[in-house]
Amino acid sequence: MVKWDSVWIALKSVFRNGKVEDELNEEVSFHLEMQTRHNIEKGMDPETAKKKALKSFGGAEKTKEDCRDGWGLRLLSDTRRDTAYGIRQLMKDKGFAIVSVVTLGIGIGACASMFSLVNAVLLKPLPFEDPERLVWIQSAKAMGLSAQTHTVDNFKEFRDENNSFESMGAYFAFFDYGAYIHADERGNMIARVRCAGITEGFIETLGIKLALGRNFEGSEWAFNGPPSVILSHSYWKSHFNSDRGVVGTNISINGRPTNVVGVLPASFDFDSVFTPGTEVEMLVPFPLSEETNRYGNTIFGIGRLKEGVSVEAGGANLKLVSDRIKERLGSQHRRFHHHMNTESLDDRIRGPFRTAFYVLSVAVGCVLAIACVNIANLLIARSNGRRKEFSLRAALGAQRWRLIRQTLVESLILSGWGLALGLGLAYVATNWISGLQAFSIPMIQNVSIDGYAIGFVVLIAGVTGLGCGIFPALQFSRSAPFEALGDESQRGSSGRRTVWLRKGLVVTEVALSCLLLVCAGLLIRSFDRLLDVDLGFEPSNAIAWRVDGGREFESYQERANYYEALLDSIEALPGIEVAGIADTLPLGRNRQWGIVPRMNDGERGPGTGAFPRVVNHSYAEAMGIEVLAGRFFNAFETSESESVIVLNKNLADQLWKGDDPLGKTVFVNGRFEAKVVGVVSDVKHNSLDAAPSNEMYLNFHQIGDFMAAEMVVRSKLSTELLISTVRKGLQEYTGRPPSNEFKTLQSLVDHSVAPERLFKDVLSAFSLVALVLAAVGLYGVIAYSVGQRVREIGIRLAIGASPGRIRSMILTEGVWMTAIGITIGLLGAYGFSRYLSGMLYEVSTTDPFIFALNASVVAGIAILAAFLPARQASKGDPNEALRVE
Amino acid sequence: MATSPNDLLQGTLNLLVLRALRDESRHGWGIQQRINQLAEDALSVNQGSLYPALIRLEKQGLIKSKWGKSEAGRRAKYYSLTARGRRQMDTETKIWEKFSNTINLILKLA
């Protein structure tokens, strides 16, 4: 049983040592007083009485110490004393203390940030009930969203005909095509919002408890039912001031009064889980109806497995249902050809990021290890300088354990300060990271320093402190006091084992930094390759601006005319070269339609799928997409004229295999025919590292599937001027403030490589820190050994050794350590880099150039670090060197 | 508990302290005086070990302490028996009696 009383006394004595001590003092002095008086009563003179009392008491201080022992305070008061002593010692050598604390602070801070990141993104369970039972249900594992999604009818069949799932729900994958405007009562726009459509069962399947209000119900689920929304927690906070009364009221969305039925909980942001990087402010009901079924493949399914059913078994079960559908539909419904791919929701959301984050965690661990090694080295160097002090203390009877403890306490003080600094740094870092909307990394907004992170870093700091202190501490445990004193008096260099230990530590540092540098080098090279990719469009000197008509149009023709007029007014502005429009930009959303060519014999040939892009005639010019054959659309095409289509090279090659595609006819999406008038260059649609895919361009005068509008404006103006020009132009033309959703085309590219850039930058930063620390460590060891050998070097110089000889003697030492370190580091990198393979684009994990380059960088820096003390040594004046003693 | 001579002595001191507190609460010096008086000065408690013993006993919950006024009007810490202390005293007294009887017996027979 814990004796709370004694714990209390112990604690009291640590924090307010005074009180308990005072009471003890008072008690003892009372005793002495009584004894003195007693003695006087027995006839002694006061002086003698007092002396006698003290004597019979047997030493007041000793008694107090024994009493403290009785309280169990001995260890604590000793530790307190060690701590105070340690702090005094460290303050004596402020430079050392600051360097150590900053080094450890950076290491610990990086560790804490990384842990918070990994914890939020990978470790914390998804914000759902029993998340391990949730399954992601998609169609093909292909690139296009249309190929990945299911039709409403098929989804309903999966839901109703399986026997492995408790429930299923789905969401509309193409929600980003819609434009929603949230306005106030007077119709003034408050914000453009994204509304993601969710189906019946979605909220229940995930097991989300709404923060306020209720899920959609009854007729709200019907097609064209009463408009209603569920607000995201962050939008509710930012735009409704967290007003609980908003639930049940109407707000204006796209000019229609829309009932706010609920608010999502803070723990679940739709976007941070399902569409990281694309903010979703509201959820709207997506009906599972005849009408929505006609949209084609549009929804992603999520299922909750019954208790005890594995993901594989659930998937196999759905595959059976899917095969039945395929069989029944036969070949005429190839558009809805079905695949069934299932995986756990967890894998779907976090799977792609696991390797990268674990690699970064290892890197952070390496940095901290190197920091530790440096501190350990410094501590050893310091402890060598303090040998005399420790030897003396040992000779005077200090227990070995006490000396070890003293050293450990000092390194723990350092790591404690490092911890404080590191936590501060981590707090800043995680705050910054969680504010990054730009990253398509799930749950990254939830990154924060929480209890787990603090627990983790305290543990890390403890391990770090002990790890740094253990090497110097163990030294004392070996050296007998006499030996150490003798050693000291002879002023020999420090013990052979110490030297080996320090050299070993430096070799470790060099190896670790070499490993990190090689990995960072691979990522940097891969990133360069990625940026060198031919985008198929010209990202510089152009911006994209999301625009809308601000109203519902009567027809798509009217809409197209409205936008053409808008484009004309923008093009008329000074400095604007060309403005075009498309329903979606590259490196963003995507969908897929079927396309089937008519062959020379008039028969339909084998078809395929392609991204449809609905655009106006000036889009190719505005984007800088090259026309390879034929022409792009022109200003004379209308809904009345012949249907035309432009293909990209990849698609044209696939359909006609080298034959001239111009003038050929294709069937698009099973709905209409169009004549091929041109072929354009391949544009990177999904990501820079994806292989070329099929694309087709359709004229927005001729097709109604044009929901969102992205205007692209090309100009030689500076970005700021261009933005303000276009903003003014839009304001003038529409008479209302334009959206703030504009970006440079370059930022589209940057955005799409943001995770790669993040990983590259972080790893590069880590490896640089590692390299610097390793260099400092190497320098420290060599400089120290030079300092130890001042006399030897002096003698050598005195009897005629040339400075060059001395230099090379010292350098050789550094070169050996470096060579061994690099060899180990390269071997390590060779073994470790395979984990990077998933993150590398057109770079081999064992790229010899990168290995060689980074090894020589490490070698160069290391030899430089060794050269400085070597030069100093050789310049020394032998007279002075000999006089040191 | 091991039975080294020290432990034996300590145990004895504990018993003497408990016995000194049997009838009334006393301060440290009072306890010492009481033991001396009971032992008719044949036994002198080492005063330096009295206070650590008091702290140990208090930690074991056998005695409790309270600050009070001494006869001379000075602040002093008074110790008194707890119920557990009283039971412990009885047990230890019995053990001690049995132990000393045995020793006496052996000494007489030898």
Side-chain angles (χ1 to χ4, degrees):
Chain A
M1 201 184 74
V2 184
K3 293 265 172 48
W4 289 111
D5 274 3
S6 55
V7 170
W8 174 237
I9 292 179
L11 282 179
K12 253 201 327 198
S13 82
V14 171
F15 294 110
R16 295 175 40 224
N17 208 5
K19 181 98 192 286
V20 181
E21 289 277 348
D22 285 350
E23 288 185 359
L24 184 59
N25 282 338
E26 188 172 352
E27 204 175 354
V28 170
S29 69
F30 172 74
H31 185 106
L32 291 176
E33 209 174 285
M34 293 299 284
Q35 186 67 43
T36 311
R37 197 178 306 168
H38 185 73
N39 288 346
I40 293 172
E41 277 166 21
K42 280 205 289 196
M44 296 184 201
D45 67 279
E47 197 64 17
T48 327
K50 200 165 178 185
K51 269 188 194 149
K52 201 98 197 297
L54 267 171
K55 200 176 162 213
S56 72
F57 197 82
E61 282 312 310
K62 171 87 171 69
T63 305
K64 284 188 203 163
E65 196 60 38
D66 287 347
C67 287
R68 287 191 202 109
D69 245 352
W71 283 325
L73 292 184
R74 184 63 174 270
L75 187 69
L76 283 167
S77 69
D78 280 359
T79 307
R80 230 175 64 110
R81 214 163 25 217
D82 281 352
T83 310
Y85 182 75
I87 290 176
R88 266 204 312 279
Q89 287 297 319
L90 289 174
M91 291 321 280
K92 267 193 210 160
D93 197 348
K94 287 208 181 70
F96 165 77
I98 291 172
V99 168
S100 311
V101 168
V102 169
T103 311
L104 283 175
I106 291 173
I108 290 173
C111 261
S113 318
M114 201 62 222
F115 175 82
S116 310
L117 204 58
V118 168
N119 189 32
V121 177
L122 296 184
L123 300 180
K124 259 189 213 157
L126 294 176
F128 309 123
E129 201 180 297
D130 296 336
E132 66 284 355
R133 280 164 60 206
L134 292 172
V135 174
W136 176 259
I137 302 162
Q138 73 173 52
S139 184
K141 280 247 174 199
M143 304 295 318
L145 272 185
S146 305
Q148 293 175 20
T149 47
H150 288 291
T151 62
V152 166
D153 275 1
N154 290 338
F155 169 74
K156 286 208 281 205
E157 196 159 337
F158 299 143
R159 183 187 63 187
D160 301 336
E161 300 298 322
N162 79 79
N163 46 32
S164 309
F165 289 85
E166 220 171 78
S167 67
M168 276 192 198
Y171 75 86
F172 180 57
F174 296 90
F175 65 86
D176 200 18
Y177 279 83
Y180 293 87
I181 289 169
H182 173 206
D184 63 17
E185 312 86 63
R186 292 189 303 281
N188 296 322
M189 183 177 84
I190 296 170
R192 275 179 181 73
V193 293
R194 284 194 185 82
C195 297
I198 59 164
T199 71
E200 264 175 282
F202 183 79
I203 299 268
E204 295 86 341
T205 301
L206 293 177
I208 298 162
K209 306 263 176 298
L210 293 184
L212 289 174
R214 57 166 175 84
N215 194 356
F216 305 113
E217 61 183 26
S219 63
E220 287 161 354
W221 288 119
F223 193 73
N224 274 338
S228 45
V229 293
I230 294 175
L231 303 178
S232 84
H233 201 269
S234 55
Y235 194 71
W236 175 63
K237 245 169 74 180
S238 61
H239 285 73
F240 293 94
N241 224 347
S242 302
D243 175 15
R244 303 178 74 85
V246 72
V247 173
T249 63
N250 281 337
I251 60 173
S252 162
I253 300 291
N254 281 357
R256 297 209 296 173
T258 304
N259 189 16
V260 177
V261 300
V263 176
L264 287 176
S267 61
F268 171 61
D269 250 343
F270 182 89
D271 49 28
S272 80
V273 176
F274 292 105
T275 59
T278 306
E279 220 171 327
V280 171
E281 288 87 359
M282 301 181 188
L283 298 182
V284 292
F286 184 81
L288 294 171
S289 68
E290 263 314 296
E291 295 86 346
T292 55
N293 184 48
R294 266 184 250 124
Y295 294 175
N297 292 331
T298 53
I299 58 178
F300 276 125
I302 286 150
R304 176 171 290 278
L305 288 165
K306 285 181 182 157
E307 208 81 65
V309 179
S310 71
V311 174
E312 292 73 29
N317 187 209
L318 288 182
K319 191 106 175 75
L320 283 180
V321 183
S322 163
D323 287 346
R324 274 209 300 274
I325 297 175
K326 222 191 238 174
E327 211 167 295
R328 192 178 66 234
L329 288 176
S331 56
Q332 73 267 38
H333 279 273
R334 216 178 270 135
R335 241 183 95 203
F336 303 126
H337 63 288
H338 267 285
H339 301 279
M340 175 50 70
N341 276 298
T342 48
E343 58 188 321
S344 78
L345 187 62
D346 202 272
D347 282 344
R348 157 80 187 184
I349 291 168
R350 304 158 153 179
F353 298 96
R354 275 203 189 111
T355 320
F357 276 95
Y358 288 142
V359 165
L360 287 187
S361 306
V362 171
V364 138
C366 285
V367 171
L368 186 65
I370 293 175
C372 278
V373 168
N374 256 2
I375 308 296
N377 254 333
L378 286 172
L379 280 171
I380 293 177
R382 242 169 72 85
S383 70
N384 279 325
R386 284 169 67 191
R387 281 170 94 79
K388 204 168 192 171
E389 172 202 336
F390 277 92
S391 307
L392 201 61
R393 285 176 64 179
L396 289 176
Q399 287 163 352
R400 190 179 276 176
W401 154 238
R402 282 296 306 269
L403 293 181
I404 294 178
R405 198 170 67 185
Q406 177 64 49
T407 319
L408 287 182
V409 162
E410 274 177 39
S411 68
L412 280 173
I413 294 169
L414 286 178
S415 76
W417 287 344
L419 170 70
L421 179 66
L423 268 182
L425 290 176
Y427 183 76
V428 174
T430 50
N431 249 351
W432 175 72
I433 292 172
S434 64
L436 292 175
Q437 262 290 345
F439 286 125
S440 44
I441 298 172
M443 273 127 2
I444 200 162
Q445 289 108 303
N446 306 346
V447 173
S448 67
I449 298 289
D450 57 8
Y452 289 107
I454 290 175
F456 178 78
V457 286
V458 168
L459 189 77
I460 285 281
V463 171
T464 306
L466 291 178
C468 292
I470 200 77
F471 291 113
L474 287 181
Q475 268 180 269
F476 300 123
S477 68
R478 273 200 311 273
S479 55
F482 179 75
E483 221 175 87
L485 279 170
D487 196 10
E488 182 68 25
S489 58
Q490 284 163 23
R491 189 46 99 159
S493 48
S494 45
R496 184 171 296 228
R497 289 176 72 168
T498 318
V499 171
W500 277 112
L501 182 63
R502 299 195 61 200
K503 286 187 175 174
L505 290 175
V506 168
V507 166
T508 314
E509 276 187 310
V510 173
L512 285 176
S513 60
C514 180
L515 179 137
L516 279 187
L517 213 63
V518 168
C519 292
L522 289 171
L523 279 187
I524 291 171
R525 192 164 167 82
S526 153
F527 193 74
D528 285 346
R529 288 264 161 96
L530 204 53
L531 291 187
D532 278 348
V533 163
D534 181 10
L535 295 168
F537 64 91
E538 181 49 56
S540 50
N541 296 325
I543 58 166
W545 206 303
R546 185 148 180 172
V547 292
D548 56 69
R551 61 192 162 98
E552 300 282 314
F553 293 100
E554 295 289 312
S555 66
Y556 67 84
Q557 291 93 340
E558 188 204 344
R559 182 169 53 200
N561 288 331
Y562 170 85
Y563 284 128
E564 288 285 15
L566 172 67
L567 292 176
D568 285 345
S569 77
I570 297 294
E571 277 184 354
L573 296 170
I576 306 294
E577 286 169 21
V578 55
I581 206 162
D583 61 342
T584 174
L585 294 167
L587 301 170
R589 296 156 293 179
N590 65 64
R591 53 182 174 169
Q592 192 163 32
W593 284 359
I595 178 164
V596 180
R598 174 183 293 186
M599 304 315 279
N600 290 336
D601 53 8
E603 288 300 305
R604 292 186 177 197
T608 183
F611 298 128
R613 213 150 280 250
V614 183
V615 301
N616 85 322
H617 67 89
S618 53
Y619 176 72
E621 200 189 339
M623 284 295 290
I625 297 171
E626 195 186 344
V627 179
L628 301 173
R631 61 172 177 85
F632 207 65
F633 303 121
N634 62 38
F636 310 108
E637 280 146 358
T638 66
S639 56
E640 308 300 320
S641 63
E642 185 187 20
S643 249
V644 289
I645 188 168
V646 172
L647 312 178
N648 77 339
K649 186 165 184 315
N650 203 57
L651 179 59
D653 286 352
Q654 191 181 339
L655 291 181
W656 282 282
K657 305 194 172 55
D659 280 4
D660 184 9
L662 298 180
K664 298 271 170 37
T665 303
V666 289
F667 300 95
V668 179
N669 210 22
R671 289 193 302 182
F672 58 91
E673 291 192 357
K675 192 176 87 176
V676 179
V677 294
V679 176
V680 296
S681 58
D682 296 336
V683 169
K684 289 289 174 188
H685 270 287
N686 280 293
S687 59
L688 297 188
D689 54 353
S693 49
N694 297 333
E695 301 153 69
M696 55 185 162
Y697 294 87
L698 298 158
N699 192 322
F700 79 155
H701 283 284
Q702 299 186 332
I703 181 169
D705 297 71
F706 183 83
M707 286 179 283
E710 301 275 3
M711 181 175 70
V712 179
V713 184
R714 181 163 294 275
S715 160
K716 288 272 190 304
L717 299 176
S718 72
T719 307
E720 294 74 36
L721 190 55
L722 177 57
I723 288 168
S724 70
T725 308
V726 173
R727 186 194 296 280
K728 235 181 277 163
L730 284 172
Q731 166 94 39
E732 256 164 47
Y733 185 80
T734 60
R736 57 200 164 84
S739 80
N740 273 323
E741 281 189 59
F742 56 83
K743 47 206 166 234
T744 62
L745 290 193
Q746 187 58 50
S747 73
L748 281 182
V749 179
D750 294 344
H751 183 109
S752 87
V753 296
E756 285 90 346
R757 190 188 294 273
L758 176 75
F759 293 137
K760 177 205 69 153
D761 285 350
V762 172
L763 200 57
S764 307
F766 286 167
S767 57
L768 278 184
V769 171
L771 185 61
V772 170
L773 288 178
V776 169
L778 190 69
Y779 172 85
V781 166
I782 305 254
Y784 179 75
S785 94
V786 168
Q788 289 283 309
R789 291 161 72 182
V790 164
R791 199 158 74 148
E792 178 202 323
I793 293 168
I795 293 175
R796 280 173 190 269
L797 283 171
I799 60 175
S802 68
R805 218 185 142 76
I806 299 292
R807 255 203 309 273
S808 71
M809 181 184 87
I810 306 279
L811 258 181
T812 311
E813 198 184 339
V815 168
W816 267 111
M817 281 190 269
T818 311
I820 298 172
I822 288 179
T823 310
I824 299 173
L826 287 180
L827 286 175
Y830 186 79
F832 183 72
S833 63
R834 79 187 61 169
Y835 297 106
L836 293 173
S837 63
M839 298 161 69
L840 295 181
Y841 175 69
E842 287 187 353
V843 176
S844 148
T845 56
T846 54
D847 189 310
F849 173 71
I850 295 293
F851 273 63
L853 179 74
N854 289 293
S856 36
V857 168
V858 175
I861 298 279
I863 288 172
L864 186 69
F867 180 75
L868 294 175
R871 200 181 56 165
Q872 204 141 22
S874 66
K875 274 192 180 161
D877 175 358
N879 274 327
E880 220 166 280
L882 288 172
R883 234 184 287 129
V884 166
E885 295 307 298
Chain B
M1 204 188 260
T3 49
S4 75
N6 266 336
D7 284 333
L8 185 64
L9 265 162
Q10 198 172 75
T12 319
L13 179 59
N14 287 352
L15 179 56
L16 292 180
V17 170
L18 293 177
R19 181 66 173 73
L21 291 172
R22 191 182 68 176
D23 301 322
E24 54 181 314
S25 61
R26 294 172 197 277
H27 44 65
W29 193 75
I31 294 171
Q32 189 207 335
Q33 291 306 305
R34 177 68 178 157
I35 293 174
N36 288 350
Q37 181 195 346
L38 288 174
E40 290 167 355
D41 289 333
L43 179 75
S44 166
V45 175
N46 177 359
Q47 307 173 20
S49 43
L50 175 65
Y51 284 93
L54 287 173
I55 285 162
R56 268 192 304 276
L57 287 171
E58 190 172 5
K59 239 174 82 172
Q60 288 166 21
L62 300 178
I63 58 176
K64 55 181 190 252
S65 66
K66 212 172 111 187
W67 285 93
K69 277 257 158 42
S70 76
E71 314 83 72
R74 232 198 100 165
R75 221 166 86 90
K77 201 172 189 181
Y78 280 83
Y79 295 90
S80 58
L81 279 187
T82 62
R84 255 183 70 198
R86 202 165 288 278
R87 278 199 303 279
Q88 180 79 8
M89 185 188 68
D90 292 341
T91 329
E92 275 191 25
T93 310
K94 279 193 195 105
I95 293 174
W96 179 256
E97 276 166 359
K98 202 171 161 201
F99 177 72
S100 66
N101 282 342
T102 313
I103 297 289
N104 282 337
L105 198 66
I106 293 170
L107 291 177
K108 265 183 207 146
L109 285 177

